[in-house]
Structures are given as C-alpha cells and as structure tokens.
C-alpha cells in the first residue's frame, strides 16, 4: 500500500513546479522531546519576527491551576491553523477558519496542580496577538450548515 504525504504536483497558476527549480520540502520531527527543547522569546517579539518572515511560529505560555482539575475545553478563537501541546502531550490540531469546531477537548488528567505548560505551533499567524481561554463548554461552531 502506498500512502504518500506532502506536496506532489504543485502548481503556480498553470505551471507545474519542479524540485530542481529551487524549492524543497523538509520534514519537521514533532516528537515531544523536540518540542520541549525549543527556545522561546517573548510573544510580541516572536510574532513580529514571524510576520516579517512569513513562516510558522511556536509560542509557549504557562498557566496555574490552584484547585482540582476538571475536564475543560481550550478555545482557539483568534488563532488560525496549527497544533497544541499541553504539558508535553499533543492535544491536537485546530483550524478555526475551516471549523466548525473552535475548541479542543482538554481532559483533566493532562492538567497538574500548579504550573502547566502550553506550546502552540501556529502555521499561519494573523496580524493580531491572539490569546487562549479555558472554557467549560465546547464551541462546535455552525454545524447546521455542514
């Protein structure tokens, strides 16, 4: 069985791009250990650098939980498309523009009392600095139109 991944037969307009024509594809290993070793700058500095370069961006934040954790949902409103890790666990992918889902399920066992770490790989950052909210109900968007 063949299960190809990545770009194949890429075109600009009607012209097919050839690998020897100056573009290449590189794998980015996404194992937990690789993500945990990333170095981070302030969000505003990283976002500004990314907007100038046009590439993906990793951002990191921490949040504290002072009481017993419960199942919750992570609202990704303001973000566009990417991947989320909580305490080294790959929580999942999001694509808020494609939807309809705008939240990721965050089960209680992934959260710790005290400090928790959040890492986001945003593939297409927007012009605003987004935030993340933990909410108690999921946002499935407009599922009627699908």
């Amino acid at each position: 069985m063949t299960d190809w991944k990545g770009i194949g037969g890429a075109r600009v307009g009607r012209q097919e791009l050839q690998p020897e024509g100056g573009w290449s594809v590189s794998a980015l290993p996404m194992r937990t250990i690789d993500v945990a070793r990333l170095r981070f700058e302030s969000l505003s500095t990283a976002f500004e650098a990314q907007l100038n370069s046009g590439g993906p961006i990793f951002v990191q934040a921490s949040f504290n939980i002072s009481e017993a954790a419960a199942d919750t949902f992570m609202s990704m409103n303001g973000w566009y498309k990417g991947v989320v890790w909580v305490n080294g666990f790959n929580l999942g992918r999001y694509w808020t523009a494609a939807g309809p889902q705008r939240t990721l399920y965050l089960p209680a066992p992934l959260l710790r009392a005290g400090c928790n770490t959040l890492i986001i790989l945003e593939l297409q950052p927007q012009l605003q600095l987004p935030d993340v909210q933990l909410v108690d109900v999921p946002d499935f968007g407009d599922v009627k139109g699908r």
Side-chain angles (χ1 to χ4, degrees):
M1 176 203 283
T2 302
D3 188 16
W4 294 97
K5 303 280 191 266
I7 297 175
R11 296 178 180 272
V12 173
R14 294 181 184 215
Q15 182 178 357
E16 186 168 346
L17 300 175
Q18 302 298 322
E20 59 274 0
W23 65 276
S24 63
V25 177
S26 299
L28 179 60
M30 300 303 285
R31 291 171 283 154
T32 302
I33 189 88
D34 296 325
V35 174
R37 291 184 180 178
L38 292 173
R39 291 181 343 164
F40 292 92
E41 299 177 15
S42 73
L43 182 58
S44 58
T45 301
F47 236 74
E48 183 178 329
Q50 188 288 329
L51 288 174
N52 292 331
S53 72
I57 183 174
F58 279 96
V59 294
Q60 179 183 41
S62 60
F63 59 96
N64 289 308
I65 296 181
S66 59
E67 52 192 56
D71 290 351
T72 188
F73 298 88
M74 186 169 290
S75 173
M76 301 307 294
N77 287 330
W79 298 85
Y80 187 76
K81 180 180 181 182
V83 183
V84 175
W85 290 264
V86 174
N87 294 328
F89 180 84
N90 185 337
L91 193 60
R93 298 182 293 177
Y94 63 90
W95 190 355
T96 57
Q101 181 175 325
R102 295 186 191 106
T103 53
L104 294 173
Y105 173 62
L106 178 53
L110 295 181
L111 298 171
R112 305 188 270 251
C115 187
N116 292 268
T117 302
L118 170 67
I119 296 176
I120 299 173
L121 167 59
E122 174 57 56
L123 297 172
Q124 298 176 344
Q126 307 302 297
L127 296 176
Q128 63 188 16
L129 290 174
D131 62 353
V132 173
Q133 294 180 347
L134 299 179
V135 295
D136 57 357
V137 294
D139 180 357
F140 294 120
D142 180 19
V143 295
K144 294 177 186 174
R146 300 238 170 207

